[in-house]
Amino acid sequence: MGWIKVVGIGPGDINDMTLKACNSLKECDIVVGYTTYINLIKPLIKDKEIISSGMRREVDRCKKAVELALQGKNVCVVSSGDAGIYGMAGLMYEVVHKENIDLKIEVIPGVTALNAAAAILGAPVMQDFAVISLSDHLISWQVIEKKLELSSQADFVIVLYNPKSRERPENIIKAQQIVMKYKREDIPVGIVKNASREGQQLIITTLKEMANYEIDMRTIVIIGNESTFVEKGKMITPRGYIL
Amino acid sequence: MGWIKVVGIGPGDINDMTLKACNSLKECDIVVGYTTYINLIKPLIKDKEIISSGMRREVDRCKKAVELALQGKNVCVVSSGDAGIYGMAGLMYEVVHKENIDLKIEVIPGVTALNAAAAILGAPVMQDFAVISLSDHLISWQVIEKKLELSSQADFVIVLYNPKSRERPENIIKAQQIVMKYKREDIPVGIVKNASREGQQLIITTLKEMANYEIDMRTIVIIGNESTFVEKGKMITPRGYIL
């Protein structure tokens, strides 16, 4: 029987991958993944069998990986960013447990989009933070709304994943309005599109103005806390050291 | 004038470092860091000048890096995990801005402790999460308490950094009691000590029992949400896919 590794490939640039992730790809027989992510790591997996499929085929990909591992293949299931944060790690375990198969699964952690976006913006996440996906595909909007309300009230730095899709363009506006009930409207907001990928774009604006900029599913939005400031083009949430 | 890179070296194992972090260390003249972290990457920096110092010397280390860069040296300031999450990135910018020096600073993102701990536990952070440091060295306990209250109320997965120190052994108990006001006492809790380092230890327990285990500053505690479960020794927060 083969093994399955769920590999976080980082935000996009191969240089943001870990050595362990690179080595896992080298050691496997087959790479399974979402087409966009497969394309990001193409140079590393030229000599491998590749099974790629489109969005929302996550369950199928995990089942395919199980099937291949049972045939004796060593399989890497790739996930962008960190496989354990809105990635494929959980689903992979669920599929294996449901089928009651005794397969070896290992999760290889990676640099998640928030780490990459923060590094590009400066240092906006140096204090306690909340991470919220605005996608209501798998979770009800009511649950997301509650998290936005309470994390704003607690003045967390707030990191938004999946802030906008064609199907729900209004979620980001709704989120902004909730956060504005509790945070000053001039609090800095960083918007990073395609962090560490081709087409990287960076905007530093305010809570009030954030919705005026282009935001899509490949964008990470970081909303500061009460102490966040912008200086020389960098967004910084001070950790609290006295200089 | 030289450059400064603030490099996230990941949780500890050199294989969890990114290629960019490795290359930054290779390309620099001098590595500045906390002694413990310097020791983790020793094999990679054998031929480099090293300036290491103890805990709470963070400001001094940043000032030293500036001094060296002004002398024309290329300097890596290392930070464990991700430099942008409770790391050195923010302080480095603050020091440079305060001295009003026009130095090139780059933050190299890394795998933070929560990514590593989650990968070891299974997949406990697949839904929205809040990250809270229990260290009240730089932040008042009242502020931390408010974050614990509201994030528990919102049923975030909660990740605790710096859960316990010799100076404040009671903070973890206080945190547990706050979380228990809102979350079921049988909710799974993962405790990972020395994630991806020598002496790695892993415990999966419950909110009620968590304080009975050894927890220190090198431990990450992950408290599940309403849907988190334990199966075959893995802690999983399902993303919500229907199998």
Side-chain angles (χ1 to χ4, degrees):
Chain A
M1 199 181 292
W3 47 249
I4 295 177
K5 291 188 185 179
V6 193
V7 179
I9 61 166
D13 183 340
I14 283 172
N15 291 308
D16 284 319
M17 282 180 70
T18 67
L19 301 176
K20 216 180 265 177
C22 292
N23 289 333
S24 301
L25 293 176
K26 264 181 221 158
E27 290 160 11
C28 74
D29 302 304
I30 302 181
V31 181
V32 176
Y34 172 43
T35 314
T36 308
Y37 306 152
I38 290 287
N39 288 337
L40 291 170
I41 54 168
K42 265 276 165 67
L44 295 181
I45 53 173
K46 274 184 210 147
D47 58 336
K48 303 291 175 187
E49 189 180 331
I50 294 169
I51 296 176
S52 63
S53 57
M55 247 173 72
R56 306 216 168 154
R57 303 298 303 272
E58 292 85 359
V59 175
D60 290 346
R61 284 199 290 276
C62 289
K63 286 183 177 170
K64 189 71 193 168
V66 169
E67 190 189 312
L68 293 163
L70 289 176
Q71 289 166 16
K73 304 288 188 187
N74 294 326
V75 185
C76 279
V77 175
V78 295
S79 207
S80 81
D82 180 63
I85 294 183
Y86 306 122
M88 297 289 282
L91 184 58
M92 196 65 245
Y93 278 115
E94 284 185 84
V95 166
V96 168
H97 290 171
K98 201 189 172 199
E99 301 190 9
N100 203 19
I101 304 162
D102 200 22
L103 255 176
K104 196 171 175 268
I105 298 178
E106 193 182 346
V107 180
I108 310 296
V111 169
T112 182
L114 91 88
N115 302 316
I120 293 161
L121 290 165
V125 197
M126 301 302 297
Q127 289 182 28
D128 298 341
F129 60 103
V131 181
I132 303 172
S133 165
L134 296 190
S135 166
D136 53 2
H137 168 48
L138 297 168
I139 299 254
S140 85
W141 178 252
Q142 226 181 346
V143 169
I144 298 170
E145 214 161 59
K146 189 174 178 188
K147 292 199 164 78
L148 288 165
E149 286 272 355
L150 292 166
S151 59
S152 303
Q153 224 174 308
D155 198 32
F156 277 103
V157 172
I158 298 176
V159 182
L160 303 177
Y161 276 66
N162 308 317
K164 201 179 188 178
S165 72
R166 241 169 292 175
E167 295 155 45
R168 26 175 201 281
E170 70 291 354
N171 283 7
I172 184 72
I173 310 282
K174 287 199 250 169
Q176 177 199 28
Q177 282 162 355
I178 292 167
V179 178
M180 272 212 276
K181 284 164 52 183
Y182 305 99
K183 287 183 185 262
R184 279 184 293 111
E185 48 177 48
D186 62 342
I187 270 184
V189 170
I191 300 172
V192 183
K193 189 175 165 179
N194 290 318
S196 212
R197 283 188 204 179
E198 217 185 297
Q200 178 180 300
Q201 279 174 32
L202 152 74
I203 286 153
I204 296 179
T205 176
T206 61
L207 183 54
K208 189 183 176 190
E209 304 291 339
M210 61 177 268
N212 301 339
Y213 295 92
E214 200 196 321
I215 291 174
D216 65 14
M217 282 308 258
R218 290 161 301 156
T219 306
I220 292 286
V221 176
I222 300 181
I223 303 171
N225 73 10
E226 191 54 47
S227 69
T228 306
F229 61 87
V230 179
E231 198 171 353
K232 298 188 177 180
K234 295 292 172 185
M235 178 175 167
I236 293 161
T237 302
R239 183 88 176 90
Y241 291 100
I242 292 155
L243 300 188
Chain B
M1 200 181 292
W3 47 250
I4 295 176
K5 290 187 185 178
V6 193
V7 179
I9 60 166
D13 182 340
I14 283 172
N15 291 308
D16 284 319
M17 283 180 69
T18 67
L19 301 176
K20 215 180 264 176
C22 291
N23 289 334
S24 301
L25 293 176
K26 264 181 220 159
E27 290 160 10
C28 75
D29 302 304
I30 302 180
V31 182
V32 177
Y34 172 42
T35 314
T36 307
Y37 305 152
I38 290 287
N39 289 336
L40 291 170
I41 55 168
K42 265 277 165 67
L44 296 180
I45 53 174
K46 274 184 212 149
D47 57 336
K48 304 290 176 187
E49 189 179 333
I50 295 169
I51 296 175
S52 63
S53 57
M55 248 174 72
R56 306 217 167 153
R57 304 299 303 272
E58 292 85 359
V59 176
D60 291 345
R61 284 199 290 275
C62 289
K63 286 183 177 169
K64 188 71 193 171
V66 169
E67 190 190 311
L68 293 164
L70 289 175
Q71 289 166 16
K73 303 288 188 186
N74 294 326
V75 185
C76 280
V77 176
V78 295
S79 208
S80 82
D82 181 63
I85 294 183
Y86 307 121
M88 297 290 283
L91 185 59
M92 196 65 245
Y93 277 115
E94 284 185 83
V95 166
V96 168
H97 290 170
K98 200 189 171 197
E99 301 189 9
N100 203 20
I101 303 161
D102 201 22
L103 255 177
K104 196 170 174 270
I105 298 178
E106 193 183 346
V107 180
I108 310 296
V111 169
T112 182
L114 93 87
N115 302 316
I120 293 161
L121 289 166
V125 197
M126 301 302 297
Q127 290 182 27
D128 299 341
F129 60 102
V131 182
I132 302 172
S133 165
L134 295 190
S135 165
D136 53 3
H137 169 48
L138 297 168
I139 299 252
S140 84
W141 179 252
Q142 225 180 347
V143 169
I144 298 169
E145 213 161 60
K146 189 173 179 190
K147 292 200 163 76
L148 288 165
E149 286 272 355
L150 292 166
S151 58
S152 302
Q153 223 174 309
D155 198 31
F156 277 103
V157 172
I158 298 176
V159 182
L160 302 178
Y161 276 65
N162 307 317
K164 200 180 190 177
S165 72
R166 241 169 292 175
E167 295 154 47
R168 24 172 205 281
E170 70 290 355
N171 283 7
I172 184 72
I173 310 282
K174 287 199 250 169
Q176 178 199 28
Q177 281 161 356
I178 292 167
V179 178
M180 273 213 276
K181 284 164 51 184
Y182 305 99
K183 287 185 185 260
R184 278 185 294 111
E185 49 178 47
D186 61 342
I187 271 184
V189 170
I191 300 172
V192 182
K193 190 174 164 179
N194 291 317
S196 212
R197 283 188 204 178
E198 218 186 295
Q200 178 180 302
Q201 279 173 32
L202 151 74
I203 287 152
I204 296 179
T205 177
T206 61
L207 183 53
K208 189 184 175 190
E209 303 291 339
M210 62 177 267
N212 300 339
Y213 296 91
E214 200 196 320
I215 291 174
D216 64 14
M217 284 308 260
R218 289 161 303 157
T219 306
I220 292 287
V221 177
I222 300 182
I223 303 170
N225 73 10
E226 191 55 47
S227 68
T228 306
F229 60 88
V230 179
E231 197 171 356
K232 297 187 177 178
K234 296 292 173 184
M235 178 174 167
I236 293 162
T237 302
R239 182 92 177 89
Y241 291 101
I242 292 154
L243 298 189

